[in-house]
Amino acid sequence: MILDGKKIAADIRAEIREKVAALVADGKRAPKLAVVIVGNNPASETYVNNKMKACAEVGMEAVKIAYPTEISEQTLLNEVSRLNNDPSIDGFIVQLPLPDHINESAILSAIDYRKDVDGLTPANVGRTVQGLPSIVSATPRGIRELLARYQIQTEGKHVVVIGRSNIVGKPVALLLMQRPYLSLPGMSAASLGDATVTVCHSKTQDLKAICLTADIIIVAAGSPKLLTADMVKEGATVIDVGINRVDDPTSPRGYRLVGDVDFENVAPKAAYITPVPGGVGPMTIVSLLQNTLQAALNR
Ligand code: NAD
């Protein structure tokens, strides 16, 4: 069965739209997101524009703050401080990656965790580790929500995560191993967490043997066809986070997007599988909206 992230994300957007409309009808202002973008990386521009569009679709306000590549780290830190203190902004993100001369970690650490709707600040990650109320980064939150909406239980299941990045691999592993007391406002009721999680990475030995013991495999490596059918147990759930461009002369753009999974051959063995595009991607964007609404309500 295909896990239709596009459809679930549309359902969640409709729910958010209703909640925002109710706030406004109640005389409150709509939640407001600020997106800071530095330089003109085309992929980042696309991501940022999609986020702005998504906000507009649910009736939230969004403002884009663009800086040239040459901006100093101090100027960006000043902007972060301004946004931390701006009462009209409920949440903001600094689009990554940043130019090499800017210390990403210094910027993220300066963001007030209550406005950190990307969930990437050390404060939010630490709070998540300890099961305190926190804002969880968008992709892991989206994956958990997708599993919940399809009622795929994780309790006692063996989850194998391929990839150990700060934005996907590590936080998704953490979320799924947590005791379910870490509830996210607005999340589906299904109890998610309590899994036995194995995290694999580029130095892991015998990835295939480990994957074959998995009930759920989450692949976030950035490597097309990394997960092949011989690595997947019959009836497993496969979540493909990867977004890779591969040459395709038949496409007007000259390329198409594929995930990290050999979808064609893995799908017949999997009980559930996400497509790329249309799986985790739309869930990531809608999670940012959920996080922004959550940040606004928390205030
Ligand atoms: P990253 O690029 O920072 O790191 C990749 C990770 O995969 C590393 O931890 C590495 O050890 C591991 N890895 C790479 N090759 C491997 C191999 N052959 N075997 C085992 N492990 C291997 O990771 P990221 O930023 O989490 O991104 C991963 C992929 O997910 C990329 O394709 C990215 O574009 C995509 N992504 C998608 C979304 C979404 O919304 N769908 C969000 C974030 C990232």
Side-chain angles (χ1 to χ4, degrees):
M1 182 181 192
I2 301 285
L3 298 174
D4 189 347
K6 206 170 156 189
K7 181 194 172 292
I8 299 292
D11 293 347
I12 298 173
R13 274 200 303 277
E15 293 163 18
I16 297 175
R17 199 179 305 123
E18 269 181 34
K19 287 182 186 150
V20 171
L23 277 177
V24 173
D26 209 25
K28 306 202 172 70
R29 61 172 180 73
K32 185 169 179 184
L33 173 77
V35 181
V36 180
I37 178 167
V38 180
N40 41 21
N41 174 333
S44 293
E45 301 241 5
T46 306
Y47 292 140
V48 167
N49 291 337
N50 287 342
K51 288 168 188 175
M52 307 286 296
K53 216 171 83 189
C55 280
E57 274 170 23
V58 297
M60 286 185 189
E61 282 187 56
V63 54
K64 180 166 144 184
I65 302 163
Y67 281 103
T69 312
E70 315 75 64
I71 181 186
S72 71
E73 186 174 308
Q74 190 54 51
T75 308
L76 192 54
L77 282 170
N78 293 346
E79 181 62 54
V80 166
S81 167
R82 190 188 69 75
L83 290 167
N84 281 342
N85 294 307
D86 181 342
S88 76
I89 301 292
D90 296 297
F92 66 99
I93 63 174
V94 178
Q95 182 67 40
L96 303 179
L98 291 169
D100 288 345
H101 68 278
I102 298 180
N103 181 341
E104 220 163 81
S105 163
I107 300 298
L108 290 179
S109 300
I111 298 174
D112 182 335
Y113 76 91
R114 290 162 298 191
K115 291 192 175 186
D116 166 32
V117 286
D118 252 349
L120 295 178
T121 58
N124 261 321
V125 177
R127 293 176 69 85
T128 307
V129 169
Q130 297 199 343
L132 297 169
S134 65
I135 301 181
V136 175
S137 64
T139 304
R141 179 175 181 153
I143 292 170
R144 199 168 95 149
E145 182 77 50
L146 192 61
L147 292 170
R149 299 256 172 169
Y150 279 92
Q151 307 207 338
I152 300 169
Q153 297 292 328
T154 55
E155 182 184 323
K157 297 286 165 56
H158 184 205
V159 176
V160 170
V161 178
I162 307 178
R164 56 177 162 185
S165 71
N166 284 342
I167 63 165
V168 188
K170 274 191 249 177
V172 81
L174 184 65
L175 272 190
L176 295 181
M177 63 159 247
Q178 284 278 15
R179 286 172 62 186
Y181 63 74
L182 180 81
S183 67
L184 302 174
M187 282 275 313
S188 308
S191 136
L192 280 174
D194 276 341
T196 303
V197 180
T198 303
V199 180
C200 300
H201 46 76
S202 52
K203 300 283 187 275
T204 296
Q205 292 182 6
D206 208 351
L207 184 63
K208 177 178 166 181
I210 297 169
C211 287
L212 278 170
T213 66
D215 303 303
I216 299 173
I217 306 178
I218 299 173
V219 202
S223 175
K225 296 199 179 178
L226 170 65
L227 191 79
T228 48
D230 60 330
M231 299 166 79
V232 178
K233 184 169 81 176
E234 198 74 44
T237 292
V238 177
I239 306 289
D240 190 353
V241 184
I243 302 179
N244 308 292
R245 281 184 182 190
V246 294
D247 291 341
D248 182 358
T250 66
S251 150
R253 294 180 298 188
Y255 68 87
R256 70 195 152 88
L257 295 180
V258 298
D260 290 350
V261 175
D262 178 6
F263 184 87
E264 198 186 331
N265 295 306
V266 170
K269 285 184 95 174
Y272 299 95
I273 186 165
T274 59
V276 176
V280 174
M283 293 302 297
T284 295
I285 295 209
V286 84
S287 298
L288 174 69
L289 301 179
Q290 287 178 304
N291 281 345
T292 304
L293 178 62
Q294 181 188 330
L297 294 176
N298 286 349
R299 295 175 80 226

